[in-house]
């Protein structure tokens, strides 16, 4: 299906990340599968009004309720990356009983390679950032209710391993904390 959205995914996608240099299992794990991996749910497609069911809002937000941590992937080349971030948080806040709004979050700015001159494929020539990295960081930190902000380039692989390692540790910590309470 094609629509006037900056994404094309119409169903959530699940994936598993297994840490490098790992056989994928934790030998002393209690409960669960004992996996050292991290299950990720890609939930694109949240648009303004998703909390009221606009688009695939309710279907996608129901999947997010089962997660432990929300990772906001902020597109550095978006026409309004702060507006995108704010809109997602408004929808999360307005959905359901407020559980999603209380969920721990990490904000990750992707496409940091867009700030580098003369880098990129021909098809990427129209992509550009609309503010400096420093300005984007300042505005994002002002909009965030936490301090977890990271930077990466999925295309170049820059920052991906660091993100995934930190994400796995953070999710493990969140899960342990929720089990204790």
């Amino acid at each position: 299906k094609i629509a006037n959205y900056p994404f094309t995914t119409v169903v959530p996608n699940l994936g598993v990340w297994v840490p490098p240099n790992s056989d994928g299992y934790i030998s002393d794990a209690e409960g669960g599968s004992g996996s050292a991996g991290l299950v990720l749910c890609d939930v694109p497609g949240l648009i303004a009004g998703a909390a009221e069911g606009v688009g695939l809002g309710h279907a996608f937000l129901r999947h997010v309720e089962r997660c432990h941590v929300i990772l906001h992937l902020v597109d550095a080349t978006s026409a309004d990356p702060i507006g995108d971030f704010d809109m997602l948080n408004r929808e999360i806040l307005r959905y359901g009983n407020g559980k999603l709004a209380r969920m721990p979050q990490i904000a990750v700015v992707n496409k940091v390679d867009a700030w580098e001159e003369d880098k990129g494929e021909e098809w990427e020539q129209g992509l550009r950032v609309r503010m400096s990295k420093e300005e984007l960081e300042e505005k994002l930190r002002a909009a965030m209710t936490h301090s977890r902000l990271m930077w990466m380039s999925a295309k170049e692989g820059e920052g991906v391993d660091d993100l995934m390692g930190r994400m796995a540790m953070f999710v493990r910590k969140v899960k342990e904390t929720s089990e204790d309470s």
Side-chain angles (χ1 to χ4, degrees):
K1 294 181 179 181
I2 298 174
N4 187 20
Y5 305 130
F7 51 83
T8 56
T9 304
V10 293
V11 294
N13 291 297
L14 291 177
V16 177
W17 172 80
V18 178
N21 305 319
S22 164
D23 63 2
Y25 294 94
I26 301 172
S27 59
D28 62 346
E30 294 181 22
S33 65
S35 171
L38 184 62
V39 177
L40 302 167
C41 180
D42 172 23
V43 185
L46 292 181
I47 58 174
E52 285 78 40
V54 173
L56 297 170
H58 282 172
F60 283 179
L61 288 166
R62 275 196 304 271
H63 285 281
V64 178
E65 284 183 308
R66 294 185 290 205
C67 297
H68 294 282
V69 174
I70 296 174
L71 185 147
H72 287 276
L73 197 57
V74 179
D75 183 347
T77 63
S78 168
D80 185 8
I82 305 303
D84 296 345
F85 182 81
D86 287 342
M87 182 276 297
L88 283 171
N89 275 312
R90 274 193 309 275
E91 295 306 318
I92 286 169
L93 183 64
R94 293 170 51 207
Y95 177 75
N97 63 7
K99 177 184 174 187
L100 291 183
R102 294 186 302 274
M103 204 173 279
Q105 298 183 13
I106 298 173
V108 181
V109 178
N110 188 29
K111 300 184 184 175
V112 296
D113 52 297
W115 277 289
E116 298 173 19
E117 299 268 338
D118 302 325
K119 197 166 188 178
E121 308 294 326
E122 186 176 322
W123 64 268
E124 297 174 299
Q125 295 308 311
L127 298 177
R128 67 184 199 294
V129 292
R130 284 146 180 91
M131 62 182 82
S132 71
K133 187 175 179 180
E134 294 75 19
E135 183 181 5
L136 178 56
E137 179 173 5
E138 181 182 324
K139 289 181 177 189
L140 264 176
R141 288 203 183 275
M144 293 167 38
T145 58
H146 56 84
S147 61
R148 293 173 297 276
L149 176 62
M150 297 186 70
W151 304 82
M152 66 177 261
S153 168
K155 177 184 165 241
E156 301 295 329
E158 180 184 325
V160 175
D161 289 339
D162 184 40
L163 166 66
M164 295 309 297
R166 288 173 182 248
M167 183 78 170
M169 286 188 300
F170 186 57
V171 168
R172 199 168 18 258
K173 184 173 132 182
V174 167
K175 286 168 88 173
E176 289 169 1
T177 302
S178 66
E179 289 170 2
D180 292 343
S181 48

